Structure formats: C-alpha cells, structure tokens
Amino acid sequence: MATMVREPASPVKDKNYDLIHAVQMSLQHIWQLETYIADADARGDSELATWFRKIQENNRKAGEQGKQMLIERLQQEGR
C-alpha cells in the first residue's frame, strides 16, 4: 500500500498566501505549456497541441480571476 507524503504546513501564515501561490502556478503553467504545444506541433500532433492550448487558456482564465481576487482583497485590507 502506497503511503502519501504530506508537505508540512506552510510557515507563512499570510491569509493571501494560498491565493498568491495558486495565481503564480497558473501563470507558470501558461508559460510551460508553450513548450508542450511547440513539441506537439513539431511532431504533427495537432490533437495534443489543441488540448494543451485548452489547458493553457483555462490557466490564463484562472490566473486572471486570481489576480482580480487578490487586487480586491488587498484593496479591502488597505481601507
């Protein structure tokens, strides 16, 4: 039976940390998927390239939504 290893709790207790990290990961995946898309295109695998583009667009939307949420939360904190 496989044992799942849990990461230790983050020492960062900032309430926005998880949101910031999720936005960062979404934006990083957009960039990484460029390589995967280029690889699939180079192999002539348009089905896979299209699928990667869809994932990339979902990450782009998630990143934009997360950035907007962060802006709103930081503005509320500044009041």
Side-chain angles (χ1 to χ4, degrees):
M1 176 177 215
T3 303
M4 295 200 51
V5 177
R6 293 192 62 166
E7 289 185 32
S10 170
V12 179
K13 299 300 182 199
D14 184 275
K15 66 180 181 174
N16 293 316
Y17 175 81
D18 290 344
L19 175 57
I20 292 167
H21 185 71
V23 169
Q24 184 268 330
M25 293 302 294
S26 290
L27 297 176
Q28 182 178 345
H29 289 150
I30 293 167
W31 175 73
Q32 284 180 313
L33 283 159
E34 284 297 321
T35 301
Y36 304 159
I37 292 166
D39 290 348
D41 282 339
R43 289 189 304 272
D45 192 338
S46 61
E47 179 183 32
L48 188 57
T50 298
W51 186 69
F52 286 144
R53 285 185 180 96
K54 288 178 184 177
I55 295 170
Q56 188 180 47
E57 182 58 27
N58 288 338
N59 276 280
R60 186 171 285 112
K61 288 177 185 177
E64 289 302 319
Q65 289 171 347
K67 287 191 297 186
Q68 187 60 43
M69 285 177 63
L70 184 59
I71 289 167
E72 291 168 5
R73 288 167 184 251
L74 292 175
Q75 286 175 340
Q76 288 175 358
E77 286 179 15
R79 291 182 187 163

PDB file of all heavy atoms in Angstrom, residues 22-38 49 51-67:
ATOM      1  N   ALA A  22      -1.415  30.048  -5.878  1.00  0.00           N
ATOM      2  CA  ALA A  22      -2.240  29.477  -6.941  1.00  0.00           C
ATOM      3  C   ALA A  22      -2.157  30.320  -8.215  1.00  0.00           C
ATOM      4  O   ALA A  22      -2.085  29.775  -9.325  1.00  0.00           O
ATOM      5  CB  ALA A  22      -3.689  29.343  -6.482  1.00  0.00           C
ATOM      6  N   VAL A  23      -2.149  31.649  -8.073  1.00  0.00           N
ATOM      7  CA  VAL A  23      -2.009  32.530  -9.234  1.00  0.00           C
ATOM      8  C   VAL A  23      -0.653  32.303  -9.885  1.00  0.00           C
ATOM      9  O   VAL A  23      -0.547  32.158 -11.110  1.00  0.00           O
ATOM     10  CB  VAL A  23      -2.198  34.018  -8.842  1.00  0.00           C
ATOM     11  CG1 VAL A  23      -1.780  34.943  -9.976  1.00  0.00           C
ATOM     12  CG2 VAL A  23      -3.637  34.278  -8.433  1.00  0.00           C
ATOM     13  N   GLN A  24       0.386  32.225  -9.075  1.00  0.00           N
ATOM     14  CA  GLN A  24       1.737  32.002  -9.593  1.00  0.00           C
ATOM     15  C   GLN A  24       1.807  30.687 -10.364  1.00  0.00           C
ATOM     16  O   GLN A  24       2.376  30.619 -11.452  1.00  0.00           O
ATOM     17  CB  GLN A  24       2.753  32.022  -8.450  1.00  0.00           C
ATOM     18  CG  GLN A  24       4.195  31.900  -8.885  1.00  0.00           C
ATOM     19  CD  GLN A  24       4.697  30.468  -8.919  1.00  0.00           C
ATOM     20  OE1 GLN A  24       4.253  29.627  -8.164  1.00  0.00           O
ATOM     21  NE2 GLN A  24       5.628  30.195  -9.791  1.00  0.00           N
ATOM     22  N   MET A  25       1.197  29.649  -9.837  1.00  0.00           N
ATOM     23  CA  MET A  25       1.225  28.348 -10.502  1.00  0.00           C
ATOM     24  C   MET A  25       0.450  28.393 -11.816  1.00  0.00           C
ATOM     25  O   MET A  25       0.898  27.830 -12.823  1.00  0.00           O
ATOM     26  CB  MET A  25       0.652  27.265  -9.579  1.00  0.00           C
ATOM     27  CG  MET A  25       1.499  26.995  -8.345  1.00  0.00           C
ATOM     28  SD  MET A  25       3.195  26.479  -8.709  1.00  0.00           S
ATOM     29  CE  MET A  25       2.882  24.905  -9.485  1.00  0.00           C
ATOM     30  N   SER A  26      -0.685  29.064 -11.837  1.00  0.00           N
ATOM     31  CA  SER A  26      -1.449  29.190 -13.082  1.00  0.00           C
ATOM     32  C   SER A  26      -0.632  29.900 -14.146  1.00  0.00           C
ATOM     33  O   SER A  26      -0.571  29.455 -15.300  1.00  0.00           O
ATOM     34  CB  SER A  26      -2.754  29.958 -12.841  1.00  0.00           C
ATOM     35  OG  SER A  26      -3.648  29.199 -12.074  1.00  0.00           O
ATOM     36  N   LEU A  27       0.015  30.993 -13.762  1.00  0.00           N
ATOM     37  CA  LEU A  27       0.814  31.755 -14.721  1.00  0.00           C
ATOM     38  C   LEU A  27       2.033  30.961 -15.177  1.00  0.00           C
ATOM     39  O   LEU A  27       2.408  31.005 -16.356  1.00  0.00           O
ATOM     40  CB  LEU A  27       1.221  33.092 -14.111  1.00  0.00           C
ATOM     41  CG  LEU A  27       0.048  34.021 -13.761  1.00  0.00           C
ATOM     42  CD1 LEU A  27       0.550  35.282 -13.071  1.00  0.00           C
ATOM     43  CD2 LEU A  27      -0.791  34.352 -14.978  1.00  0.00           C
ATOM     44  N   GLN A  28       2.641  30.209 -14.280  1.00  0.00           N
ATOM     45  CA  GLN A  28       3.789  29.379 -14.642  1.00  0.00           C
ATOM     46  C   GLN A  28       3.363  28.284 -15.627  1.00  0.00           C
ATOM     47  O   GLN A  28       4.079  27.999 -16.593  1.00  0.00           O
ATOM     48  CB  GLN A  28       4.409  28.745 -13.408  1.00  0.00           C
ATOM     49  CG  GLN A  28       5.632  27.901 -13.717  1.00  0.00           C
ATOM     50  CD  GLN A  28       6.267  27.324 -12.466  1.00  0.00           C
ATOM     51  OE1 GLN A  28       5.981  27.755 -11.357  1.00  0.00           O
ATOM     52  NE2 GLN A  28       7.126  26.355 -12.648  1.00  0.00           N
ATOM     53  N   HIS A  29       2.204  27.703 -15.419  1.00  0.00           N
ATOM     54  CA  HIS A  29       1.734  26.653 -16.323  1.00  0.00           C
ATOM     55  C   HIS A  29       1.457  27.198 -17.721  1.00  0.00           C
ATOM     56  O   HIS A  29       1.680  26.487 -18.710  1.00  0.00           O
ATOM     57  CB  HIS A  29       0.498  25.967 -15.749  1.00  0.00           C
ATOM     58  CG  HIS A  29       0.813  25.112 -14.569  1.00  0.00           C
ATOM     59  ND1 HIS A  29      -0.071  24.880 -13.564  1.00  0.00           N
ATOM     60  CD2 HIS A  29       1.945  24.427 -14.225  1.00  0.00           C
ATOM     61  CE1 HIS A  29       0.492  24.099 -12.651  1.00  0.00           C
ATOM     62  NE2 HIS A  29       1.703  23.821 -13.040  1.00  0.00           N
ATOM     63  N   ILE A  30       0.995  28.440 -17.818  1.00  0.00           N
ATOM     64  CA  ILE A  30       0.787  29.060 -19.133  1.00  0.00           C
ATOM     65  C   ILE A  30       2.104  29.042 -19.901  1.00  0.00           C
ATOM     66  O   ILE A  30       2.163  28.642 -21.063  1.00  0.00           O
ATOM     67  CB  ILE A  30       0.259  30.499 -18.999  1.00  0.00           C
ATOM     68  CG1 ILE A  30      -1.149  30.506 -18.412  1.00  0.00           C
ATOM     69  CG2 ILE A  30       0.269  31.214 -20.356  1.00  0.00           C
ATOM     70  CD1 ILE A  30      -1.615  31.878 -17.961  1.00  0.00           C
ATOM     71  N   TRP A  31       3.159  29.447 -19.223  1.00  0.00           N
ATOM     72  CA  TRP A  31       4.486  29.512 -19.839  1.00  0.00           C
ATOM     73  C   TRP A  31       4.994  28.114 -20.185  1.00  0.00           C
ATOM     74  O   TRP A  31       5.494  27.877 -21.285  1.00  0.00           O
ATOM     75  CB  TRP A  31       5.435  30.241 -18.872  1.00  0.00           C
ATOM     76  CG  TRP A  31       6.840  30.267 -19.313  1.00  0.00           C
ATOM     77  CD1 TRP A  31       7.379  31.019 -20.327  1.00  0.00           C
ATOM     78  CD2 TRP A  31       7.918  29.504 -18.768  1.00  0.00           C
ATOM     79  NE1 TRP A  31       8.723  30.766 -20.426  1.00  0.00           N
ATOM     80  CE2 TRP A  31       9.073  29.836 -19.474  1.00  0.00           C
ATOM     81  CE3 TRP A  31       8.007  28.583 -17.733  1.00  0.00           C
ATOM     82  CZ2 TRP A  31      10.307  29.273 -19.196  1.00  0.00           C
ATOM     83  CZ3 TRP A  31       9.238  28.026 -17.460  1.00  0.00           C
ATOM     84  CH2 TRP A  31      10.364  28.374 -18.178  1.00  0.00           C
ATOM     85  N   GLN A  32       4.870  27.158 -19.263  1.00  0.00           N
ATOM     86  CA  GLN A  32       5.348  25.796 -19.507  1.00  0.00           C
ATOM     87  C   GLN A  32       4.616  25.136 -20.663  1.00  0.00           C
ATOM     88  O   GLN A  32       5.205  24.381 -21.435  1.00  0.00           O
ATOM     89  CB  GLN A  32       5.168  24.934 -18.257  1.00  0.00           C
ATOM     90  CG  GLN A  32       6.191  25.204 -17.190  1.00  0.00           C
ATOM     91  CD  GLN A  32       5.965  24.312 -15.980  1.00  0.00           C
ATOM     92  OE1 GLN A  32       4.837  24.181 -15.507  1.00  0.00           O
ATOM     93  NE2 GLN A  32       7.042  23.720 -15.486  1.00  0.00           N
ATOM     94  N   LEU A  33       3.336  25.398 -20.789  1.00  0.00           N
ATOM     95  CA  LEU A  33       2.558  24.782 -21.851  1.00  0.00           C
ATOM     96  C   LEU A  33       2.999  25.235 -23.231  1.00  0.00           C
ATOM     97  O   LEU A  33       2.788  24.515 -24.212  1.00  0.00           O
ATOM     98  CB  LEU A  33       1.066  25.030 -21.630  1.00  0.00           C
ATOM     99  CG  LEU A  33       0.457  24.133 -20.554  1.00  0.00           C
ATOM    100  CD1 LEU A  33      -0.831  24.720 -20.013  1.00  0.00           C
ATOM    101  CD2 LEU A  33       0.234  22.728 -21.084  1.00  0.00           C
ATOM    102  N   GLU A  34       3.640  26.385 -23.330  1.00  0.00           N
ATOM    103  CA  GLU A  34       4.190  26.819 -24.622  1.00  0.00           C
ATOM    104  C   GLU A  34       5.155  25.773 -25.164  1.00  0.00           C
ATOM    105  O   GLU A  34       5.145  25.463 -26.350  1.00  0.00           O
ATOM    106  CB  GLU A  34       4.893  28.173 -24.494  1.00  0.00           C
ATOM    107  CG  GLU A  34       3.972  29.356 -24.394  1.00  0.00           C
ATOM    108  CD  GLU A  34       3.121  29.558 -25.635  1.00  0.00           C
ATOM    109  OE1 GLU A  34       3.618  29.360 -26.771  1.00  0.00           O
ATOM    110  OE2 GLU A  34       1.938  29.910 -25.468  1.00  0.00           O
ATOM    111  N   THR A  35       5.987  25.215 -24.292  1.00  0.00           N
ATOM    112  CA  THR A  35       6.940  24.181 -24.699  1.00  0.00           C
ATOM    113  C   THR A  35       6.208  22.928 -25.154  1.00  0.00           C
ATOM    114  O   THR A  35       6.539  22.336 -26.187  1.00  0.00           O
ATOM    115  CB  THR A  35       7.893  23.840 -23.532  1.00  0.00           C
ATOM    116  OG1 THR A  35       8.585  25.023 -23.154  1.00  0.00           O
ATOM    117  CG2 THR A  35       8.878  22.755 -23.918  1.00  0.00           C
ATOM    118  N   TYR A  36       5.204  22.522 -24.398  1.00  0.00           N
ATOM    119  CA  TYR A  36       4.450  21.317 -24.750  1.00  0.00           C
ATOM    120  C   TYR A  36       3.720  21.494 -26.081  1.00  0.00           C
ATOM    121  O   TYR A  36       3.652  20.572 -26.899  1.00  0.00           O
ATOM    122  CB  TYR A  36       3.448  20.958 -23.663  1.00  0.00           C
ATOM    123  CG  TYR A  36       4.037  20.765 -22.290  1.00  0.00           C
ATOM    124  CD1 TYR A  36       3.240  20.867 -21.165  1.00  0.00           C
ATOM    125  CD2 TYR A  36       5.388  20.489 -22.096  1.00  0.00           C
ATOM    126  CE1 TYR A  36       3.765  20.682 -19.893  1.00  0.00           C
ATOM    127  CE2 TYR A  36       5.923  20.305 -20.834  1.00  0.00           C
ATOM    128  CZ  TYR A  36       5.106  20.408 -19.734  1.00  0.00           C
ATOM    129  OH  TYR A  36       5.620  20.228 -18.481  1.00  0.00           O
ATOM    130  N   ILE A  37       3.166  22.673 -26.298  1.00  0.00           N
ATOM    131  CA  ILE A  37       2.469  22.968 -27.552  1.00  0.00           C
ATOM    132  C   ILE A  37       3.454  22.903 -28.722  1.00  0.00           C
ATOM    133  O   ILE A  37       3.168  22.281 -29.753  1.00  0.00           O
ATOM    134  CB  ILE A  37       1.767  24.339 -27.484  1.00  0.00           C
ATOM    135  CG1 ILE A  37       0.603  24.286 -26.492  1.00  0.00           C
ATOM    136  CG2 ILE A  37       1.295  24.784 -28.866  1.00  0.00           C
ATOM    137  CD1 ILE A  37       0.054  25.657 -26.096  1.00  0.00           C
ATOM    138  N   ALA A  38       4.606  23.523 -28.550  1.00  0.00           N
ATOM    139  CA  ALA A  38       5.623  23.511 -29.609  1.00  0.00           C
ATOM    140  C   ALA A  38       6.086  22.087 -29.907  1.00  0.00           C
ATOM    141  O   ALA A  38       6.269  21.716 -31.076  1.00  0.00           O
ATOM    142  CB  ALA A  38       6.809  24.393 -29.212  1.00  0.00           C
ATOM    143  N   ALA A  49      -1.693  19.223 -29.313  1.00  0.00           N
ATOM    144  CA  ALA A  49      -1.421  20.660 -29.252  1.00  0.00           C
ATOM    145  C   ALA A  49      -2.691  21.436 -28.920  1.00  0.00           C
ATOM    146  O   ALA A  49      -2.665  22.365 -28.103  1.00  0.00           O
ATOM    147  CB  ALA A  49      -0.831  21.146 -30.572  1.00  0.00           C
ATOM    148  N   TRP A  51      -5.296  20.303 -27.272  1.00  0.00           N
ATOM    149  CA  TRP A  51      -5.627  20.019 -25.874  1.00  0.00           C
ATOM    150  C   TRP A  51      -4.772  20.863 -24.933  1.00  0.00           C
ATOM    151  O   TRP A  51      -5.268  21.439 -23.972  1.00  0.00           O
ATOM    152  CB  TRP A  51      -5.437  18.524 -25.601  1.00  0.00           C
ATOM    153  CG  TRP A  51      -5.882  18.105 -24.250  1.00  0.00           C
ATOM    154  CD1 TRP A  51      -7.162  18.049 -23.778  1.00  0.00           C
ATOM    155  CD2 TRP A  51      -5.049  17.668 -23.168  1.00  0.00           C
ATOM    156  NE1 TRP A  51      -7.170  17.591 -22.472  1.00  0.00           N
ATOM    157  CE2 TRP A  51      -5.880  17.353 -22.081  1.00  0.00           C
ATOM    158  CE3 TRP A  51      -3.677  17.496 -23.034  1.00  0.00           C
ATOM    159  CZ2 TRP A  51      -5.383  16.898 -20.864  1.00  0.00           C
ATOM    160  CZ3 TRP A  51      -3.180  17.044 -21.826  1.00  0.00           C
ATOM    161  CH2 TRP A  51      -4.038  16.745 -20.762  1.00  0.00           C
ATOM    162  N   PHE A  52      -3.464  20.956 -25.234  1.00  0.00           N
ATOM    163  CA  PHE A  52      -2.585  21.797 -24.416  1.00  0.00           C
ATOM    164  C   PHE A  52      -3.024  23.264 -24.473  1.00  0.00           C
ATOM    165  O   PHE A  52      -2.972  23.972 -23.468  1.00  0.00           O
ATOM    166  CB  PHE A  52      -1.128  21.682 -24.867  1.00  0.00           C
ATOM    167  CG  PHE A  52      -0.444  20.393 -24.492  1.00  0.00           C
ATOM    168  CD1 PHE A  52       0.467  19.807 -25.350  1.00  0.00           C
ATOM    169  CD2 PHE A  52      -0.692  19.775 -23.272  1.00  0.00           C
ATOM    170  CE1 PHE A  52       1.123  18.631 -25.009  1.00  0.00           C
ATOM    171  CE2 PHE A  52      -0.040  18.596 -22.920  1.00  0.00           C
ATOM    172  CZ  PHE A  52       0.866  18.022 -23.802  1.00  0.00           C
ATOM    173  N   ARG A  53      -3.458  23.721 -25.631  1.00  0.00           N
ATOM    174  CA  ARG A  53      -3.932  25.111 -25.752  1.00  0.00           C
ATOM    175  C   ARG A  53      -5.175  25.346 -24.893  1.00  0.00           C
ATOM    176  O   ARG A  53      -5.334  26.419 -24.305  1.00  0.00           O
ATOM    177  CB  ARG A  53      -4.206  25.456 -27.210  1.00  0.00           C
ATOM    178  CG  ARG A  53      -2.947  25.670 -28.011  1.00  0.00           C
ATOM    179  CD  ARG A  53      -3.234  26.134 -29.442  1.00  0.00           C
ATOM    180  NE  ARG A  53      -1.990  26.313 -30.157  1.00  0.00           N
ATOM    181  CZ  ARG A  53      -1.426  25.387 -30.956  1.00  0.00           C
ATOM    182  NH1 ARG A  53      -2.036  24.228 -31.169  1.00  0.00           N
ATOM    183  NH2 ARG A  53      -0.283  25.641 -31.555  1.00  0.00           N
ATOM    184  N   LYS A  54      -6.045  24.350 -24.834  1.00  0.00           N
ATOM    185  CA  LYS A  54      -7.235  24.479 -23.987  1.00  0.00           C
ATOM    186  C   LYS A  54      -6.843  24.575 -22.511  1.00  0.00           C
ATOM    187  O   LYS A  54      -7.397  25.384 -21.764  1.00  0.00           O
ATOM    188  CB  LYS A  54      -8.181  23.301 -24.213  1.00  0.00           C
ATOM    189  CG  LYS A  54      -8.882  23.345 -25.545  1.00  0.00           C
ATOM    190  CD  LYS A  54      -9.767  22.127 -25.751  1.00  0.00           C
ATOM    191  CE  LYS A  54     -10.396  22.136 -27.124  1.00  0.00           C
ATOM    192  NZ  LYS A  54     -11.205  20.940 -27.376  1.00  0.00           N
ATOM    193  N   ILE A  55      -5.906  23.747 -22.113  1.00  0.00           N
ATOM    194  CA  ILE A  55      -5.421  23.809 -20.728  1.00  0.00           C
ATOM    195  C   ILE A  55      -4.791  25.172 -20.468  1.00  0.00           C
ATOM    196  O   ILE A  55      -5.005  25.788 -19.422  1.00  0.00           O
ATOM    197  CB  ILE A  55      -4.406  22.685 -20.444  1.00  0.00           C
ATOM    198  CG1 ILE A  55      -5.077  21.322 -20.543  1.00  0.00           C
ATOM    199  CG2 ILE A  55      -3.763  22.865 -19.077  1.00  0.00           C
ATOM    200  CD1 ILE A  55      -4.089  20.165 -20.518  1.00  0.00           C
ATOM    201  N   GLN A  56      -4.005  25.636 -21.426  1.00  0.00           N
ATOM    202  CA  GLN A  56      -3.345  26.930 -21.290  1.00  0.00           C
ATOM    203  C   GLN A  56      -4.377  28.048 -21.117  1.00  0.00           C
ATOM    204  O   GLN A  56      -4.218  28.930 -20.274  1.00  0.00           O
ATOM    205  CB  GLN A  56      -2.470  27.178 -22.520  1.00  0.00           C
ATOM    206  CG  GLN A  56      -1.578  28.391 -22.417  1.00  0.00           C
ATOM    207  CD  GLN A  56      -0.744  28.561 -23.665  1.00  0.00           C
ATOM    208  OE1 GLN A  56      -1.256  28.487 -24.777  1.00  0.00           O
ATOM    209  NE2 GLN A  56       0.547  28.779 -23.467  1.00  0.00           N
ATOM    210  N   GLU A  57      -5.441  27.996 -21.896  1.00  0.00           N
ATOM    211  CA  GLU A  57      -6.483  29.022 -21.786  1.00  0.00           C
ATOM    212  C   GLU A  57      -7.182  28.948 -20.432  1.00  0.00           C
ATOM    213  O   GLU A  57      -7.488  29.982 -19.832  1.00  0.00           O
ATOM    214  CB  GLU A  57      -7.500  28.873 -22.925  1.00  0.00           C
ATOM    215  CG  GLU A  57      -8.580  29.939 -22.914  1.00  0.00           C
ATOM    216  CD  GLU A  57      -8.056  31.366 -22.993  1.00  0.00           C
ATOM    217  OE1 GLU A  57      -6.969  31.603 -23.538  1.00  0.00           O
ATOM    218  OE2 GLU A  57      -8.755  32.264 -22.479  1.00  0.00           O
ATOM    219  N   ASN A  58      -7.424  27.744 -19.939  1.00  0.00           N
ATOM    220  CA  ASN A  58      -8.018  27.601 -18.606  1.00  0.00           C
ATOM    221  C   ASN A  58      -7.107  28.194 -17.539  1.00  0.00           C
ATOM    222  O   ASN A  58      -7.583  28.860 -16.609  1.00  0.00           O
ATOM    223  CB  ASN A  58      -8.312  26.130 -18.296  1.00  0.00           C
ATOM    224  CG  ASN A  58      -9.473  25.587 -19.081  1.00  0.00           C
ATOM    225  OD1 ASN A  58     -10.326  26.333 -19.562  1.00  0.00           O
ATOM    226  ND2 ASN A  58      -9.515  24.276 -19.239  1.00  0.00           N
ATOM    227  N   ASN A  59      -5.807  27.976 -17.664  1.00  0.00           N
ATOM    228  CA  ASN A  59      -4.855  28.550 -16.708  1.00  0.00           C
ATOM    229  C   ASN A  59      -4.813  30.074 -16.832  1.00  0.00           C
ATOM    230  O   ASN A  59      -4.688  30.771 -15.832  1.00  0.00           O
ATOM    231  CB  ASN A  59      -3.463  27.962 -16.917  1.00  0.00           C
ATOM    232  CG  ASN A  59      -3.290  26.655 -16.205  1.00  0.00           C
ATOM    233  OD1 ASN A  59      -3.057  26.624 -15.007  1.00  0.00           O
ATOM    234  ND2 ASN A  59      -3.424  25.561 -16.934  1.00  0.00           N
ATOM    235  N   ARG A  60      -4.936  30.564 -18.064  1.00  0.00           N
ATOM    236  CA  ARG A  60      -4.944  32.021 -18.271  1.00  0.00           C
ATOM    237  C   ARG A  60      -6.166  32.634 -17.571  1.00  0.00           C
ATOM    238  O   ARG A  60      -6.047  33.639 -16.860  1.00  0.00           O
ATOM    239  CB  ARG A  60      -4.958  32.327 -19.765  1.00  0.00           C
ATOM    240  CG  ARG A  60      -4.830  33.803 -20.085  1.00  0.00           C
ATOM    241  CD  ARG A  60      -4.627  34.048 -21.582  1.00  0.00           C
ATOM    242  NE  ARG A  60      -3.265  33.703 -21.968  1.00  0.00           N
ATOM    243  CZ  ARG A  60      -2.921  32.676 -22.755  1.00  0.00           C
ATOM    244  NH1 ARG A  60      -3.834  31.891 -23.269  1.00  0.00           N
ATOM    245  NH2 ARG A  60      -1.658  32.445 -23.053  1.00  0.00           N
ATOM    246  N   LYS A  61      -7.323  32.006 -17.732  1.00  0.00           N
ATOM    247  CA  LYS A  61      -8.543  32.494 -17.088  1.00  0.00           C
ATOM    248  C   LYS A  61      -8.413  32.425 -15.566  1.00  0.00           C
ATOM    249  O   LYS A  61      -8.776  33.374 -14.860  1.00  0.00           O
ATOM    250  CB  LYS A  61      -9.760  31.685 -17.535  1.00  0.00           C
ATOM    251  CG  LYS A  61     -10.182  31.956 -18.956  1.00  0.00           C
ATOM    252  CD  LYS A  61     -11.337  31.061 -19.358  1.00  0.00           C
ATOM    253  CE  LYS A  61     -11.696  31.245 -20.818  1.00  0.00           C
ATOM    254  NZ  LYS A  61     -12.768  30.309 -21.220  1.00  0.00           N
ATOM    255  N   ALA A  62      -7.896  31.305 -15.063  1.00  0.00           N
ATOM    256  CA  ALA A  62      -7.729  31.153 -13.614  1.00  0.00           C
ATOM    257  C   ALA A  62      -6.753  32.191 -13.077  1.00  0.00           C
ATOM    258  O   ALA A  62      -6.980  32.775 -12.006  1.00  0.00           O
ATOM    259  CB  ALA A  62      -7.244  29.739 -13.276  1.00  0.00           C
ATOM    260  N   GLY A  63      -5.678  32.435 -13.802  1.00  0.00           N
ATOM    261  CA  GLY A  63      -4.703  33.435 -13.373  1.00  0.00           C
ATOM    262  C   GLY A  63      -5.313  34.824 -13.306  1.00  0.00           C
ATOM    263  O   GLY A  63      -5.097  35.569 -12.350  1.00  0.00           O
ATOM    264  N   GLU A  64      -6.082  35.165 -14.326  1.00  0.00           N
ATOM    265  CA  GLU A  64      -6.731  36.483 -14.344  1.00  0.00           C
ATOM    266  C   GLU A  64      -7.760  36.609 -13.225  1.00  0.00           C
ATOM    267  O   GLU A  64      -7.839  37.650 -12.564  1.00  0.00           O
ATOM    268  CB  GLU A  64      -7.375  36.737 -15.709  1.00  0.00           C
ATOM    269  CG  GLU A  64      -6.382  36.975 -16.821  1.00  0.00           C
ATOM    270  CD  GLU A  64      -5.461  38.159 -16.557  1.00  0.00           C
ATOM    271  OE1 GLU A  64      -5.928  39.205 -16.058  1.00  0.00           O
ATOM    272  OE2 GLU A  64      -4.259  38.020 -16.838  1.00  0.00           O
ATOM    273  N   GLN A  65      -8.536  35.567 -13.006  1.00  0.00           N
ATOM    274  CA  GLN A  65      -9.517  35.595 -11.912  1.00  0.00           C
ATOM    275  C   GLN A  65      -8.810  35.731 -10.564  1.00  0.00           C
ATOM    276  O   GLN A  65      -9.245  36.501  -9.695  1.00  0.00           O
ATOM    277  CB  GLN A  65     -10.369  34.333 -11.932  1.00  0.00           C
ATOM    278  CG  GLN A  65     -11.342  34.274 -13.075  1.00  0.00           C
ATOM    279  CD  GLN A  65     -12.012  32.913 -13.183  1.00  0.00           C
ATOM    280  OE1 GLN A  65     -11.603  31.939 -12.569  1.00  0.00           O
ATOM    281  NE2 GLN A  65     -13.056  32.849 -13.991  1.00  0.00           N
ATOM    282  N   GLY A  66      -7.739  34.985 -10.389  1.00  0.00           N
ATOM    283  CA  GLY A  66      -6.992  35.050  -9.135  1.00  0.00           C
ATOM    284  C   GLY A  66      -6.372  36.419  -8.908  1.00  0.00           C
ATOM    285  O   GLY A  66      -6.390  36.933  -7.787  1.00  0.00           O
ATOM    286  N   LYS A  67      -5.823  37.007  -9.968  1.00  0.00           N
ATOM    287  CA  LYS A  67      -5.245  38.354  -9.836  1.00  0.00           C
ATOM    288  C   LYS A  67      -6.312  39.355  -9.426  1.00  0.00           C
ATOM    289  O   LYS A  67      -6.069  40.211  -8.565  1.00  0.00           O
ATOM    290  CB  LYS A  67      -4.570  38.788 -11.136  1.00  0.00           C
ATOM    291  CG  LYS A  67      -3.265  38.076 -11.402  1.00  0.00           C
ATOM    292  CD  LYS A  67      -2.475  38.678 -12.539  1.00  0.00           C
ATOM    293  CE  LYS A  67      -3.161  38.608 -13.860  1.00  0.00           C
ATOM    294  NZ  LYS A  67      -2.319  39.077 -14.986  1.00  0.00           N
TER     295      LYS A  67
END
